[in-house]
Amino acid sequence: MAQQKTILRALAGETLPTPPIWMMRQAGRYLPEYKATRAQAGDFLSLCYNPELAAEVTLQPIRRYGFDAAILFADILLLPQALGADLWFVTGEGPRLSTITTADELAQLKPLDAIHDTLNPIYETVKILSRELPKETTLIGFAGSPWTVATYMIAGQGTPDQAPAHALKAENRPVFEGIINRITEGTIEYLSMQIQAGAECVKLFDSWAGSLQDDDFIEFSVKPMQRITAALKKKHPDVPIIAFPRGAGKRNIGMHAAIGADCIALDDGVDAVWAAENVQKDGCVQGNLKSSHMVTGGDTLVSETRRICKAFSKGPHIFNLGHGITPDANPDNVQLMIDTVRGA
Ligand code: CP3
């Protein structure tokens, strides 16, 4: 059957006259309706595990802006929690986890088939969304990449340079590789279940790919993501996969094939004209507007949006930011970006 949804058409390699659009962290604290629902849920994790309310916040930016895709409301750190790590969020600071750095701690993680006990509410959110989304809107599921998730599991929090994960990699390679493997296997299970529940596309967030150098980048960013895409494609050959190796820079060349992804999401560190020539030639790209334009707006937002649309206009492109929208963004600037992309 011919594919009608614009996001899925772009992911299949079609060049569209107007790129479809969605936004990383489109359900978030810059929206007053999100803050209200979050207050109702109590805290962030209670919101993630409440299918009705998680579906509600996923739908809010679709109702307000008519984005072409909705991304499941959840977090990349729910998988470590499902594997047995303690997880909590400190207001104003971010996530905290119990750490895994020894063979004993690795051995104590839960077996793979136990993760669904924790993650079932997430699949329920996906089911609600696949019923309630407008028929033209694509539902995107997601997970973190093994490396990025490992950086949080090893450090117990976000780190500017991922030093604890790099240290474990140097000092206890078997444990480090064991953690990467366990996350890889868990992610295959988790994303397969999201797809079975109704996700039409999945995205792998490798937010910290850029801190891996040389062979490590191939071994611990690219290869685990490739293992995940290969396993998912075997089970669900028609479900497209977006990979986001943030900070990969020139290493984005050849990345579609290396990861086995249908689309490479680009951060704002690569130039759009360069990326059109060197990355988009291999398939769909997504990105790469600086998130800060959602705070500052104005003529620069309009001209930058147009520049990116023009640079990617000769191939498959999904318009998006280079990273998540920030809580200080102005919701009116999001509308201005959308109007500019759609030529209104
Ligand atoms: O994009 C979406 O709208 C879907 C939902 C989503 C969230 N997190 C919700 C969220 C997605 C796709 C993520 C991914 C995620 N989570 C990543 C990878 C992408 C990236 O940003 O690099 C990472 C590294 C995390 C881990 C995480 N979650 C951190 C470091 C934080 C704290 C920083 C912050 O923005 O507060 C979170 C919290 C989080 N995840 C929020 C949201 C909406 C804010 C929570 C709140 O309401 O207070």
Side-chain angles (χ1 to χ4, degrees):
M1 198 179 75
Q3 184 51 251
Q4 294 306 317
K5 297 191 184 193
T6 51
I7 295 268
L8 296 176
R9 286 169 62 188
L11 288 168
E14 197 177 328
T15 305
L16 298 165
T18 300
I21 179 168
W22 68 281
M23 196 171 66
M24 282 187 262
R25 289 278 171 100
Q26 62 191 21
R29 285 162 295 180
Y30 74 106
L31 287 179
E33 58 269 38
Y34 169 82
K35 284 193 266 197
T37 309
R38 204 194 122 174
Q40 194 187 336
D43 57 34
F44 173 65
L45 284 176
S46 308
L47 178 54
C48 291
Y49 288 116
N50 181 322
E52 294 293 336
L53 295 183
E56 166 58 24
V57 293
T58 307
L59 289 164
Q60 285 168 350
I62 308 306
R63 288 192 204 112
R64 185 190 266 255
Y65 298 115
F67 282 117
D68 296 294
I71 183 158
L72 163 70
F73 189 85
D75 198 87
I76 66 165
L77 300 178
L78 304 186
L79 179 64
Q81 188 177 33
L83 284 167
D86 293 330
L87 172 68
W88 66 104
F89 280 79
V90 180
T91 312
E93 290 185 33
R96 295 289 182 276
L97 299 91
S98 52
T99 58
I100 315 284
T101 55
T102 64
D104 277 353
E105 286 162 348
L106 177 60
Q108 279 164 28
L109 289 177
K110 289 185 191 164
L112 283 185
D113 55 8
I115 66 174
H116 306 304
D117 297 344
T118 302
L119 297 170
N120 268 324
I122 310 307
Y123 313 140
E124 193 53 39
T125 307
V126 174
K127 284 183 198 158
I128 297 173
L129 287 167
S130 49
R131 284 199 302 270
E132 294 193 2
L133 276 169
K135 64 175 186 348
E136 65 276 13
T137 314
T138 301
L139 177 56
I140 303 175
F142 74 93
S145 76
W147 161 247
T148 288
V149 172
T151 67
Y152 289 91
M153 289 180 80
I154 293 164
Q157 60 184 66
T159 45
D161 49 8
Q162 296 73 59
H166 286 290
L168 187 67
K169 169 160 59 66
E171 287 155 16
N172 197 339
R173 191 80 160 201
V175 168
F176 175 78
E177 289 181 351
I179 295 171
I180 293 281
N181 286 337
R182 185 60 78 86
I183 301 166
T184 302
E185 288 154 9
T187 303
I188 293 167
E189 285 287 310
Y190 182 37
L191 290 177
S192 293
M193 290 296 279
Q194 290 184 28
I195 292 168
Q196 282 171 46
E200 301 168 284
C201 164
V202 294
K203 177 167 173 183
L204 287 167
F205 286 88
D206 198 359
S207 304
W208 299 118
S211 83
L212 287 166
Q213 301 302 317
D214 307 316
D215 290 350
D216 279 353
F217 177 76
I218 304 298
E219 281 306 311
F220 301 119
S221 174
V222 175
K223 281 194 187 165
M225 287 200 279
Q226 197 279 332
R227 239 185 100 188
I228 294 166
T229 65
L232 291 177
K233 292 280 177 189
K234 209 166 159 188
K235 289 193 201 172
H236 311 281
D238 298 330
V239 174
I241 301 170
I242 304 172
F244 181 36
R246 189 165 75 95
K250 297 242 167 356
R251 296 176 294 184
N252 278 304
I253 296 173
M255 200 51 85
H256 285 89
I259 297 179
D262 302 270
C263 176
I264 296 298
L266 302 165
D267 58 48
D268 59 30
V270 294
D271 174 67
V273 172
W274 174 86
E277 278 172 25
N278 292 284
V279 188
Q280 194 189 26
K281 69 173 174 47
D282 296 331
C284 187
V285 291
Q286 174 184 280
N288 74 332
L289 184 70
K290 272 194 175 54
S291 302
S292 58
H293 291 298
M294 297 301 106
V295 182
T296 52
D299 293 346
T300 325
L301 161 57
V302 173
S303 59
E304 280 299 288
T305 299
R306 287 196 181 130
R307 187 178 66 78
I308 289 169
C309 287
K310 180 161 183 262
F312 291 127
S313 61
K314 294 189 180 66
H317 174 216
I318 297 169
F319 196 91
N320 204 313
L321 304 177
H323 201 191
I325 187 168
T326 50
D328 55 344
N330 180 344
D332 294 342
N333 290 332
V334 176
Q335 190 63 57
L336 180 59
M337 169 182 75
I338 294 171
D339 291 345
T340 306
V341 170
R342 292 183 176 160

